[in-house]
Amino acid sequence: MTADDLAQLDAAAILDIVREAIDTDRVDLYLQPIVSLPQRKHRFYECFSRIRDHDDNLIGPEAYLEIAERNGLIAAIDNILLIRCVQLVRKVQQKRRNVGFFVNISPHTLADRKFFAEFVLFMEENNELAPNLVFEFAQADIVDLPSETAGRLHQLGELGFRFSLDRVKRLDLNYPELSRRFIRYIKVESETLKAWQAEAHGGEGPTAFKSALDRYAIDIVAERVEEEEELRELLDYGIDYGQGYLFGEPRPAR
């Protein structure tokens, strides 16, 4: 389905496609590599969902995500994505491959007390997956979590699962608190790192930021990296990992 075709669909039509995809198993798992720097070796993959209509046309998240959120369908999509990832991790572990998968947990899933409790219980029953799974949350979504949700996240951490913070817009972070909450990865866009460097913060640029994170065993993933020139600048900051179209676009999991 082309961008022009999508533009012709109204919200109700896209909502019908999403509901049908959930009911008929047409929510697919796509993977985008996260590479170590400077070697560019594939160390992780981020998991994304893509939806197909009844003619197998792909519907990207930019078309359906907001509509799915408004209609309470994100938790169902998250659940399907998690099941796909679990199946993939089991295959990876059988082959003894050392690769991890980042799985985003939406704020809607965090806010769904019943679903999230069941999610934590499922992961407790399958904690052998912990070495290969990293759960990812947007920075803004975990600032003021209810105590029950924060407690369940801590329970996941105690089981051995680790977390990633993405959409990071502020670098003046509480590093000990991040470590205590089992956050082991910070995803930052290169523009945010450059802005931090330009502002200087009394000498606290990305290099100092990286040194502070190293003390708490937290790695930086530079995301949305698209140009070689951009990468060269990031390497000066000692970034641990990179993600973006320069290293590979999301592709169907095989």
Side-chain angles (χ1 to χ4, degrees):
M1 183 174 292
T2 67
D4 289 340
D5 293 333
L6 278 174
Q8 300 302 315
L9 296 177
D10 60 17
I14 293 176
L15 178 59
D16 286 342
I17 291 172
V18 173
R19 284 176 170 157
E20 185 180 11
I22 292 171
D23 291 339
T24 58
D25 196 28
R26 287 203 292 267
V27 179
D28 296 333
L29 173 64
Y30 273 58
L31 303 175
Q32 184 176 35
I34 299 173
V35 304
S36 61
L37 295 176
Q39 302 91 347
R40 304 197 194 191
K41 291 185 178 179
H42 291 194
R43 298 299 189 189
F44 302 93
Y45 291 88
E46 181 164 356
C47 300
F48 296 96
S49 61
R50 295 289 186 269
I51 281 175
R52 287 177 289 120
D53 68 9
H54 59 275
D55 292 320
D56 280 341
N57 296 306
L58 277 179
I59 313 294
E62 69 282 353
Y64 71 77
L65 200 57
E66 183 179 348
I67 295 168
E69 287 175 348
R70 288 202 308 265
N71 290 274
L73 298 175
I74 291 297
I77 294 172
D78 276 0
N79 189 42
I80 293 170
L81 187 66
L82 176 65
I83 291 171
R84 298 275 191 275
C85 288
V86 166
Q87 293 168 339
L88 186 58
V89 168
R90 291 199 192 285
K91 292 179 181 178
V92 165
Q93 289 183 334
Q94 287 171 3
K95 295 179 180 179
R96 300 184 183 277
R97 290 186 60 195
N98 184 24
V99 62
F101 298 89
F102 282 60
V103 184
N104 187 270
I105 305 297
S106 74
H108 302 275
T109 294
L110 287 173
D112 188 329
R113 294 172 60 186
K114 181 176 183 296
F115 179 85
F116 195 59
E118 292 172 351
F119 166 79
V120 174
L121 178 60
F122 176 77
M123 300 320 302
E124 182 176 10
E125 294 170 347
N126 294 273
N127 69 332
E128 73 278 1
L129 304 172
N132 299 88
L133 275 180
V134 178
F135 294 118
E136 188 163 87
F137 313 93
Q139 183 179 30
D141 294 340
I142 62 168
V143 172
D144 295 309
L145 286 176
S147 58
E148 180 182 349
T149 305
R152 294 199 185 281
L153 283 178
H154 191 81
Q155 184 180 349
L156 277 176
E158 292 285 356
L159 289 168
F161 293 96
R162 295 298 177 257
F163 305 137
S164 169
L165 207 60
D166 79 339
R167 301 180 214 172
V168 173
K169 301 302 180 184
R170 296 176 56 89
L171 302 187
D172 51 341
L173 303 167
N174 184 333
Y175 311 117
E177 176 66 9
L178 293 178
S179 180
R180 187 189 68 80
R181 296 173 72 173
F182 303 102
I183 292 171
R184 297 295 180 262
Y185 304 93
I186 300 283
K187 283 192 173 182
V188 186
E189 291 187 23
S190 59
E191 292 303 318
T192 302
L193 287 164
K194 292 175 187 176
W196 184 266
Q197 175 70 17
E199 292 171 9
H201 287 274
E204 290 288 326
T207 304
F209 171 62
K210 176 68 172 66
S211 298
L213 290 178
D214 283 345
R215 290 196 293 274
Y216 293 94
I218 300 173
D219 289 334
I220 304 178
V221 181
E223 57 181 350
R224 299 179 187 270
V225 182
E226 299 184 358
E227 304 289 341
E228 289 287 349
E229 183 178 348
E230 183 180 17
L231 175 61
R232 283 193 292 271
E233 187 170 353
L234 290 171
L235 292 177
D236 291 337
Y237 301 155
I239 304 300
D240 300 286
Y241 299 99
Q243 180 180 2
Y245 275 50
L246 180 63
F247 312 114
E249 62 185 64
R251 294 187 180 277
R254 301 300 183 190

